[in-house]
């Protein structure tokens, strides 16, 4: 907050996301949905003031004043209504039927039409028009747009003419190395040229940023150049200059540490585990925990293959160590997600049929979101954490687990295909493409000297405390805010 106030003065920030940061519960009551990032940005805006524009998810008025705490100004939330058919093409169609599988290297799951692209374009156009309209009421220091559902907002804003504040964008998901032929090349061209309209495009890792640059060079050839800081591209609309940056996202580790050691939270977690038949006192083998939306990119089938491989590698673990999956369903309007959810459920049932014993089940699935104040002690009381994503921009669950362990002796096993594995050292890496090798790594990790695991966990926690989400936010905003201060004359070099 201090960094932002010093850099931006009183000019507020304007944030654009597909989803709203709060849920309308009726009668003016708002609640925060789970998901660390939007809550962090929400806290910043609550304290600095500002504006947030998002597509409406729940009832209530079109414009909301989201209150801040104890004298903080709070911020204004503009909630846009999109007609259902248009939303279907934008969200289920192009965003999650085309872009998500394409960028997560899942070509067989791509399904979308030209009409879906038109819907996506139209929703991005409407959002851009709302942002431009809001600039007439108050001019923010910068506009910060998020994620693959909103790639074209910057382009549409520029098309409206007029002078604009700096436009920053953050791409939360991986950038693919897949040949562009997996989707019509002009679709990819449209997304990439859309991104070139921003002044800064942030990626989670160097690998994704470098792949983005390779894609730009493959599309624009000698019309593109890169000096290590600035990418310049000659397009039909003139020369675009932007900064493609690397900003690995993170969490607030102290928040998770505190929640995980809170006695009331721990008690609640123990009761919760008791109800599931996983009470650590009566089931001393304990449980491995996985927490993710039921998404094919999170590797549910691969995880269950690993568990089966683990039981065949060490039969003494069958009957002792369970898997607790906290896995709310997601994006059920997309066919690929419905089919995947059914397949994951059938696979878990098959494992349970094969390995269950009196009073013990190998796989326990909780199909809903849990509050972070319950998740944190569940991470802490677990025997270990399994992150099995086949592709993941970052993966915050791994970081939440490490923070909640707070130097405990339960190991994290994290897929090498996550941004977390690419940007943190000293983690135990598994590979969902090789369940047997992964099972061996898990078995070794579970029998490691607890002091050794503790040391690894403490090293990881020290790293997270330094590379926390506030640092992520500040590093993201530093450059565009500097540009804004220079442009407004507030800062002279
Ligand atoms: P996601 O794909 O949603 O995010 P992730 O990074 O793991 O993946 O973040 C999920 C968040 O939701 C975590 O804070 C987690 O605690 C919470 N969550 C997940 N399942 C939950 C459950 N059952 N109950 C309660 N909370 C739950 C996208 C990208 C990631 C990237 C993030 C942030 O796909 O790669 O790390 O954005 O940039």
């Amino acid at each position: 907050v201090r960094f932002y106030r010093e850099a931006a003065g009183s000019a507020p920030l304007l944030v654009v996301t597909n989803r709203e940061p709060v849920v309308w519960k009726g009668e003016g009551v708002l609640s925060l949905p789970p998901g660390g990032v939007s809550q962090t940005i929400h806290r910043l805006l609550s304290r600095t003031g500002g504006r947030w524009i998002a597509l409406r998810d729940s009832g209530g008025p079109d414009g909301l004043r989201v209150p801040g705490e104890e004298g903080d100004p709070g911020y204004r939330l503009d909630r846009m209504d999109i007609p259902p058919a248009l939303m279907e093409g934008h969200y289920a169609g192009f965003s999650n039927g085309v872009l998500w599988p394409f960028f997560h290297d899942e070509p067989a799951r791509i399904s979308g039409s030209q009409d879906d692209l038109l819907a996506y374009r139209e929703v991005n156009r409407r959002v851009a028009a709302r942002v431009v309209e809001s600039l007439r009421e108050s001019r923010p220091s910068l506009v910060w747009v998020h994620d693959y559902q909103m790639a074209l907002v910057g382009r549409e804003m520029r098309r409206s003419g007029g002078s604009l504040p700096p436009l920053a964008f953050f791409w939360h998901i991986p950038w693919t190395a897949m040949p562009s032929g997996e989707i019509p090349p002009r679709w990819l061209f449209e997304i990439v040229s859309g991104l070139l309209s921003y002044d800064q495009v942030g990626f989670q890792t160097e690998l994704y940023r470098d792949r983005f640059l390779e894609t730009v060079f493959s599309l624009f050839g000698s019309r593109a150049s890169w000096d290590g800081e600035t990418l310049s591209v000659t397009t039909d609309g003139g020369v675009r200059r932007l900064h493609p940056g690397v900003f690995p996202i993170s969490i607030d580790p102290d928040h998770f540490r505190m929640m995980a050691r809170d006695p009331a939270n721990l008690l609640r977690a123990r009761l919760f585990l008791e109800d599931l038949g996983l009470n650590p006192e009566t089931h001393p083998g304990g449980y491995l925990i996985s927490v993710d939306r039921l998404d094919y990119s999170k590797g549910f089938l691969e995880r269950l293959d690993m568990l089966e491989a683990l039981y065949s590698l060490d039969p003494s673990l069958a009957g002792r160590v369970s898997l607790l999956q906290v896995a709310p369903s997601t994006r059920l309007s997309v066919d690929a997600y419905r089919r995947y959810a059914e397949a994951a459920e059938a696979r878990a049932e098959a494992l349970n049929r094969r390995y269950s014993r009196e009073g013990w089940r190998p796989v326990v699935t909780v199909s809903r979101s849990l509050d972070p104040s319950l998740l944190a002690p569940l991470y802490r009381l677990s025997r270990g954490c399994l992150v099995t994503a086949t592709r993941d921009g970052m993966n915050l669950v791994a970081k939440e687990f490490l923070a909640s362990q707070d130097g405990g002796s339960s190991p994290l096993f994290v897929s090498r295909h996550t941004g977390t594995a690419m940007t943190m050292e000293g983690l135990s890496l598994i590979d969902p493409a090789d369940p047997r090798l992964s099972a061996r790594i898990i078995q070794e990790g579970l029998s490691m000297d607890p002091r050794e695991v503790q040391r690894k966990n403490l090293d990881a926690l020290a790293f997270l405390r330094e590379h926390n989400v506030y640092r992520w936010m500040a590093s993201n905003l530093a450059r565009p805010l500097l540009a804004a201060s220079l442009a407004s004359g507030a800062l002279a070099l």
Side-chain angles (χ1 to χ4, degrees), residues 357-378:
R357 312 200 172 155
E358 179 69 39
W360 182 88
R361 271 180 306 159
V363 185
V364 177
T365 305
V366 175
S367 307
R368 63 191 165 88
S369 277
L370 299 182
D371 194 84
S373 63
L374 179 56
L375 273 185
L378 289 175

Side-chain angles (χ1 to χ4, degrees), residues 33-39 100 104 146-148 170-174 204 208 247-251 256 290-295 297-298 325-331 366-372 375 379 387 389 391-400 418-420 472:
V37 184
S38 92
Q39 278 182 38
W100 181 275
H104 286 84
H146 288 260
D147 226 356
Y148 62 102
F170 192 75
W171 185 263
H172 288 257
I173 64 175
Q204 307 269 26
Y208 306 153
F247 311 106
I249 204 163
S250 191
I251 60 163
F256 270 87
S290 289
V291 177
D292 14 41
R293 295 178 296 101
L294 216 170
D295 190 308
S297 68
K298 304 291 182 183
Q325 314 192 107
V326 185
S329 53
T330 181
R331 304 176 187 169
V366 175
S367 307
R368 63 191 165 88
S369 277
L370 299 182
D371 194 84
L375 273 185
Y379 287 137
V387 173
R391 295 286 182 272
D392 213 336
M394 180 54 62
N395 193 284
L396 295 177
V397 167
K399 298 187 176 187
E400 292 168 359
T418 61
T420 301
W472 169 78

Side-chain angles (χ1 to χ4, degrees), residues 82-155:
I82 304 291
L86 198 53
M87 192 63 189
E88 169 81 14
H90 161 73
Y91 185 75
F94 199 70
S95 298
N96 292 314
V98 176
L99 295 180
W100 181 275
F102 177 67
F103 284 103
H104 286 84
D105 298 346
E106 291 270 0
R109 297 189 208 267
I110 296 175
S111 96
S113 63
Q114 181 66 16
D115 283 348
D116 294 330
L117 170 62
L118 295 179
Y120 177 88
R121 210 187 268 164
E122 174 59 12
V123 170
N124 276 246
R125 192 194 64 72
R126 289 184 186 201
V127 172
R130 175 64 70 91
V131 177
V132 169
E133 190 186 311
S134 83
L135 299 184
R136 284 192 211 109
E137 289 165 34
S138 67
R139 197 176 166 88
S141 52
L142 68 104
V143 178
W144 196 16
V145 183
H146 288 260
D147 226 356
Y148 62 102
Q149 307 93 343
M150 296 288 158
L152 305 181
V153 170
R155 177 190 79 178

